[in-house]
Amino acid sequence: LIMYLDGEKFAIDTEAGDMGKMTMVSDTKKGVVHTIMWSQKKVMEMTAEEMAKMEKESQNVADKMLQNLPPEMRKQVMEEMKKEKSRSPVNYSARPTGKKMNLYGFNCEEYRVETDEELISIWASSSHAGVLKEFERVSKEYDKIFGSDEEDIDEWKLVPGKVPVQVRTYSLSMMMGEPVLNIRTITKIENKKPSPDTFRVPGEKE
């Protein structure tokens, strides 16, 4: 995965399995996201208005399903939903372990976060503070347009002022009953202006 940031624009290149290379290009000023599927020669466009419409349609379907439930079950489900909405989001705090390590040229310190289901180890670095500020700025703009899931844990916010160079998440798979380890690592950060072609969306002729 490679991420590019430039002002109001950002792009993410990924490549995986049969899908091949895919690029997500977004312009927060215009409030639009394009997903380019290079091997299939397809471009998908999503606007903030379309996202809001999809959310409304999903809510209508959920409401219809709720109305079709037996009265007692409907009452129970509605009570659970009410409890969930009134519940304040959990603010997890990262505690330093005192351990230090150099990863891919980044001088890092380890922090740990424990939740009900996960143990998260974060190796964070104080370098590239400018990139961190840019990432936070674009993330805020994106969340304003397309919304955010407050239940998800954002490793970029767990250790304020530091870049999460490596995040190791230990969790228990409820289906398999086996421990799962997920590792995400930043291998390089470059402070240079991306080419304009990085954010260009191919037209129909291409």
Side-chain angles (χ1 to χ4, degrees):
L1 183 148
I2 304 174
M3 179 181 289
Y4 306 88
L5 294 175
D6 186 9
E8 303 296 333
K9 299 177 180 180
F10 74 87
I12 300 175
D13 282 341
T14 60
E15 190 161 356
D18 297 335
M19 296 298 291
K21 180 184 176 183
M22 297 179 65
T23 302
M24 186 179 78
V25 179
S26 178
D27 188 327
T28 56
K29 193 172 184 179
K30 294 179 180 178
V32 61
V33 174
H34 290 94
T35 302
I36 308 165
M37 294 169 281
W38 297 98
S39 61
Q40 300 177 44
K41 295 186 178 181
K42 289 183 180 180
V43 176
M44 294 175 60
E45 181 180 278
M46 178 67 72
T47 64
E49 290 78 13
E50 288 172 331
M51 182 72 77
K53 184 180 177 182
M54 287 174 62
E55 288 182 1
K56 187 176 181 180
E57 288 174 353
S58 296
Q59 186 60 51
N60 289 339
V61 171
D63 290 342
K64 194 171 182 179
M65 290 177 64
L66 192 62
Q67 292 301 319
N68 291 332
L69 290 175
E72 284 301 316
M73 188 177 292
R74 186 191 315 149
K75 182 180 178 182
Q76 184 179 350
V77 171
M78 290 183 70
E79 286 177 355
E80 288 298 324
M81 289 172 63
K82 189 176 180 181
K83 285 180 184 178
E84 194 65 32
K85 283 184 179 180
S86 63
R87 191 176 297 165
S88 301
V90 180
N91 293 318
Y92 296 103
S93 58
R95 56 179 181 81
T97 65
K99 295 180 181 179
K100 297 182 180 182
M101 178 168 56
N102 187 284
L103 284 170
Y104 298 96
F106 298 95
N107 291 320
C108 304
E109 296 181 33
E110 187 188 32
Y111 294 80
R112 289 196 178 179
V113 177
E114 293 184 32
T115 73
D116 293 337
E117 300 178 352
E118 298 175 329
L119 171 62
I120 306 172
S121 170
I122 305 168
W123 289 92
S125 174
S126 299
S127 62
H128 294 87
V131 170
L132 180 63
K133 288 179 181 178
E134 280 297 294
F135 183 85
E136 290 175 344
R137 181 184 62 77
V138 173
S139 294
K140 286 178 182 177
E141 290 298 320
Y142 187 86
D143 289 347
K144 282 180 186 176
I145 299 169
F146 297 100
S148 63
D149 191 342
E150 294 182 354
E151 292 183 5
D152 288 344
I153 299 175
D154 187 350
E155 60 262 28
W156 287 81
K157 297 177 182 178
L158 289 176
V159 187
K162 293 190 177 185
V163 175
V165 175
Q166 187 174 90
V167 180
R168 303 177 183 180
T169 304
Y170 304 85
S171 60
L172 185 66
S173 173
M174 299 302 291
M175 291 181 64
M176 302 300 293
E178 298 177 355
V180 176
L181 170 61
N182 182 281
I183 301 175
R184 297 186 299 279
T185 307
I186 296 173
T187 57
K188 183 167 66 172
I189 295 177
E190 291 184 327
N191 187 11
K192 66 179 183 181
K193 191 173 182 66
S195 164
D197 286 341
T198 305
F199 309 101
R200 189 174 65 86
V201 178
E204 286 187 20
K205 291 182 180 180
E206 296 170 279

